[in-house]
Amino acid sequence: MKHSGLWCTSRPSILGPLLFVVYINDQPTALTKCKVSMYADDTVIYYSDSDQVALMETLQTDLNNIVEWLEKGRLILNLSKTKYVLFGTYQRLGKVNDFNIKIGQNVLDKLPMFNYLGVTLDETKTWKEHVATVSEKVNKRLGMLGRIRGCLTLKAAQCVYNTILK
C-alpha cells in the first residue's frame, strides 16, 4: 500500500529528554538574584529576604526575566502550574500583606504548601504534611502486605516487603 504526504510517528524519541535539558540548560543565566533548582521540566526559583518589598520585587523581576528568556526560545510557561509559596514563621507570615506575583496580567496563586520531587514543603517548614503523607503511604502498603501475607511464603513476603516499603 502506498502513502503520500508526510509520515509522523507518535513514538517518543530517546533523545527528547536530553535535547530538552540541553535546550533549557542556560535558563539560570536569565536570573539576576534568585537561585534555581531544575529537574527535568520542573524549575523552582527561590530567594530569601527579610524585607517583604525587596522579596516581592526580586521574585517579580527574575520571573519576568524567565518569561522573557522562554519567549526568546519560543517556549511557553504553563501558567496553570506556576504558583508560589512564602516560607517563614507564623508570626512573619501573618505580617505579610499585598504580596502579589504576576505574569503579565495574571496574578499567581499563593499556596500554603507544595510537593517537589516527592517532598511536601509547607510554608512554616514544620514537615507535618510530609510526615503525614509518608505515614499514610507506609500504612497503606503495610495493610496490603498484611492482607496478602497468609498467601505467601516467608521468602515471598520478604520480597514483597522489600519491594513496596524500601
Side-chain angles (χ1 to χ4, degrees):
M1 186 170 167
K2 276 184 143 183
H3 294 280
S4 61
L6 182 64
W7 179 75
C8 297
T9 180
S10 62
R11 290 181 292 182
S13 164
I14 60 171
L15 291 177
L18 176 63
L19 293 173
F20 177 77
V21 169
V22 169
Y23 194 67
I24 66 160
N25 191 45
D26 68 332
Q27 184 183 35
T29 62
L31 301 172
T32 56
K33 292 185 179 178
C34 291
K35 302 291 183 197
V36 65
S37 289
M38 298 169 62
Y39 183 80
D41 64 343
D42 285 337
T43 300
V44 175
I45 65 170
Y46 52 96
Y47 186 72
S48 176
D49 200 312
S50 58
D51 179 8
Q52 175 185 328
V53 174
L55 178 63
M56 190 168 66
E57 287 175 357
T58 300
L59 288 171
Q60 186 65 64
T61 298
D62 274 351
L63 185 57
N64 292 343
N65 293 341
I66 290 287
V67 169
E68 184 179 323
W69 180 91
L70 289 168
E71 288 172 354
K72 285 180 184 175
R74 296 186 177 162
L75 296 170
I76 299 169
L77 183 66
N78 187 340
L79 291 175
S80 68
K81 292 184 177 182
T82 306
K83 318 275 187 212
Y84 73 95
V85 178
L86 291 178
F87 294 101
T89 63
Y90 286 115
Q91 294 81 10
R92 292 195 97 166
L93 290 171
K95 294 177 184 176
V96 173
N97 52 27
D98 298 327
F99 196 97
N100 290 314
I101 304 290
K102 296 180 180 181
I103 297 177
Q105 299 302 313
N106 300 298
V107 178
L108 299 183
D109 293 333
K110 179 184 176 289
L111 301 177
M113 68 187 80
F114 80 111
N115 190 302
Y116 186 63
L117 303 178
V119 178
T120 304
L121 302 167
D122 65 285
E123 63 187 354
T124 56
K125 305 174 284 179
T126 62
W127 296 101
K128 287 180 186 176
E129 280 298 318
H130 182 70
V131 169
T133 302
V134 171
S135 295
E136 183 180 338
K137 285 181 185 178
V138 168
N139 284 334
K140 284 180 181 178
R141 291 174 181 175
L142 281 173
M144 182 181 68
L145 182 60
R147 287 187 298 278
I148 66 170
R149 172 62 187 104
C151 304
L152 303 173
T153 66
L154 180 60
K155 187 173 182 178
Q158 287 173 332
C159 182
V160 171
Y161 172 82
N162 289 332
T163 301
I164 64 173
L165 288 171
K166 284 193 174 183

